Amino acid sequence: MKVLILGSGVIGVTSAYYLARAGHEVTVVDRQPEPALETSFANAGEVSPGYSSPWAGPGVPVKAVKWLLMKHGPLVIRPKLDPVMWVWLLKMLRNCTSARYAVNKSRMIPIAEYSRDSLRDLRRDIGIQYDERSKGTLQLFRYQAQLDGTGEDVAVLKQYGVPYETLSREGCIAVEPALAGVKEKFVGGLRLPQDETGDCHMFTQALAKQAQALGVRFLFNTGIDRIVTDGARVSGVATSAGLLQADSYVLALGSYSSRMAAPLGISLPVYPVKGYSITVPIKDASGAPESTVMDESYKVAITRLGNRIRVGGTAEISGFSTKLYGARRATLDHSLSDLFPRGGDLSKATFWSGLRPMTPDGPPVIGPTKYANLHLNTGHGTLGWTMSCGSGRVLADMLSGKKPDVDVSALTVDRYQHRFG
């Protein structure tokens, strides 16, 4: 079968690889000159199934007010005359209940766990390297109330058999020795020992080469104008290189998926939420993190990637703008210098922003649409790297007529449209 994939981020490339491995003839089209130059380029570096949680949760509306008033708050809203933005925010607020949080998290963890296992299989099968480490994630709490409030997360982790450790201050230092010098700044943590880290951009570029070796064709520097339909099927994709045709089509354009799907009568609950990162060369290895430390107060992830530290955070709701704001870098600088003051050389940091394709409840959108030959693989939010291999593998199984190894029936666009309209 000929398959055309729209998008060459980590989701599009993993989809292409697994489809090619299943024997299909695959073409990937993207406006960029090479893979993983947008949201997949400089994300936080976490492969964190255990940390796969919806942003919409109990207490978030009250916390949001506090975050908006904080100097280094994790949330920024830049109001626009955009009804799509406000409708998305209202839908997110509807999911800020304990019951919906538990359901949504339970839909996210299985695909994330499956994805991590699929990533491990890839390392074993093809020896792919991407500055990977398998040393877990440490969610670090500065205040006792944060540590005391982990009950609902722990309950879901127990339900799905995800290993975890609740750590004292000394326990945190045992797994992240560089924290010993700032131990007065935190009270404890929640560690997820099976989580991993790695450079998503490096991974995606390496996997694209593996996909090419399997016969995948990449059409870069090619603008995607619209999806053309003929009745109940897609008949082609209009691009700057002309009309591209295949037997099946996969929409994996991240935040732009909703814009591409709307003219087809497909309402995707995906909206861009901008995140920022800095990448800092390590100055003193003994003062750098061993893996990922999530600074819970600022919602900032500090991750070791080879000889670099990646610091990622902020949820900025401002449409499709990728403008860099100095205040957002100040938050990342503060978290790193506060917890790992000897670790990195901030004077040599590079600053980046990317648009996370987020759904209002958290889980991604994977699977078929009302068009018989159009499938979706989008809406992964902050977890595109975490869920990429599993999502690509599931999608390849679907298009190959096989039953996926993990149940994603709750992630289809039909389920979302039923819930959100």
Side-chain angles (χ1 to χ4, degrees):
M1 185 167 61
K2 293 182 179 180
V3 183
L4 181 64
I5 298 175
L6 310 185
S8 69
V10 69
I11 298 298
V13 170
T14 50
S15 299
Y17 173 80
Y18 284 108
L19 281 163
R21 202 171 74 173
H24 301 292
E25 183 180 334
V26 183
T27 300
V28 180
V29 59
D30 198 293
R31 64 184 179 183
Q32 296 290 352
E34 57 186 61
L37 291 186
E38 295 193 29
T39 304
S40 302
F41 182 72
N43 62 26
E46 299 174 82
V47 179
S48 300
Y51 201 70
S52 296
S53 303
W55 283 22
V60 166
V62 174
K63 291 178 184 177
V65 175
K66 176 185 175 183
W67 290 335
L68 289 169
L69 298 175
M70 287 170 58
K71 179 181 178 182
H72 295 298
L75 175 65
V76 177
I77 299 177
R78 302 190 190 279
K80 289 178 169 290
L81 293 175
D82 177 8
V84 176
M85 171 193 286
W86 298 108
V87 168
W88 186 90
L89 283 167
L90 288 172
K91 289 177 179 178
M92 182 177 176
L93 288 173
R94 283 179 53 197
N95 278 276
C96 292
T97 65
S98 296
R100 290 195 176 189
Y101 177 84
V103 168
N104 292 330
K105 181 158 184 164
S106 72
R107 290 173 173 172
M108 297 167 75
I109 285 182
I111 184 67
E113 291 270 309
Y114 178 65
S115 187
R116 185 209 50 225
D117 293 344
S118 298
L119 178 59
R120 290 175 176 173
D121 291 343
L122 269 188
R123 286 205 302 269
R124 183 194 66 230
D125 295 343
I126 62 176
I128 192 167
Q129 296 182 341
Y130 47 92
D131 277 346
E132 69 279 0
R133 286 190 169 212
S134 300
K135 294 190 175 184
T137 296
L138 175 63
Q139 188 177 5
L140 196 69
F141 303 117
R142 292 176 181 262
Y143 307 105
Q144 189 63 40
Q146 295 172 330
L147 186 58
D148 294 340
T150 61
E152 290 188 359
D153 281 333
V154 166
V156 178
L157 295 174
K158 287 181 178 178
Q159 179 185 351
Y160 284 91
V162 179
Y164 71 94
E165 299 169 336
T166 302
L167 301 179
S168 65
R169 179 184 285 124
E170 294 305 318
C172 293
I173 294 170
V175 295
E176 288 288 352
L179 292 173
V182 294
K183 62 182 180 181
E184 74 283 356
K185 295 186 177 180
F186 59 92
V187 298
L190 178 66
R191 182 168 180 257
L192 303 165
Q194 291 194 353
D195 283 4
E196 302 183 2
T197 58
D199 188 319
C200 181
H201 174 251
M202 186 184 297
F203 168 83
T204 307
Q205 294 227 327
L207 192 65
K209 291 179 181 178
Q210 294 282 341
Q212 284 179 310
L214 293 174
V216 174
R217 184 168 66 120
F218 286 88
L219 298 180
F220 293 117
N221 298 303
T222 304
I224 301 169
D225 299 324
R226 63 189 178 91
I227 297 172
V228 182
T229 60
D230 181 10
R233 297 181 63 83
V234 171
S235 57
V237 176
T239 75
S240 59
L243 185 69
L244 302 179
Q245 295 183 298
D247 301 312
S248 290
Y249 302 81
V250 177
L251 181 55
L253 287 174
S255 296
Y256 296 91
S257 298
S258 53
R259 286 185 168 183
M260 193 62 62
L264 307 180
I266 299 172
S267 178
L268 275 178
V270 176
Y271 191 79
V273 177
K274 183 162 63 173
Y276 293 85
S277 75
I278 55 173
T279 304
V280 186
I282 289 177
K283 180 171 58 177
D284 179 350
S286 67
E290 288 295 316
S291 188
T292 290
V293 173
M294 172 61 71
D295 187 348
E296 182 63 20
S297 294
Y298 304 113
K299 301 291 185 181
V300 168
I302 305 171
T303 301
R304 186 171 187 153
L305 297 175
N307 60 0
R308 302 159 294 149
I309 300 172
R310 176 71 50 75
V311 187
T314 302
E316 181 178 303
I317 300 172
S318 58
F320 286 83
S321 167
T322 55
K323 181 178 178 180
L324 293 168
Y325 290 93
R328 306 282 39 97
R329 170 168 176 174
T331 297
L332 305 177
D333 288 0
H334 170 72
S335 188
L336 177 62
S337 60
D338 200 43
L339 294 177
F340 298 96
R342 298 182 294 109
D345 186 351
L346 280 169
S347 69
K348 297 179 180 177
T350 56
F351 188 29
W352 172 88
S353 73
L355 302 176
R356 310 179 185 106
M358 296 197 68
T359 59
D361 58 345
V365 188
I366 305 172
T369 68
K370 64 181 181 179
Y371 296 93
N373 59 341
L374 176 63
H375 280 67
L376 303 170
N377 198 358
T378 188
H380 297 78
T382 59
L383 297 164
W385 180 204
T386 294
M387 296 182 175
S388 58
C389 289
S391 298
R393 194 170 171 182
V394 160
L395 192 81
D397 285 343
M398 287 179 172
L399 268 67
S400 301
K402 295 172 57 180
K403 182 180 179 181
D405 294 333
V406 62
D407 181 12
V408 293
S409 59
L411 306 182
T412 64
V413 70
D414 286 344
R415 291 291 181 94
Y416 273 93
Q417 289 177 336
H418 174 72
R419 290 187 61 195
F420 296 128

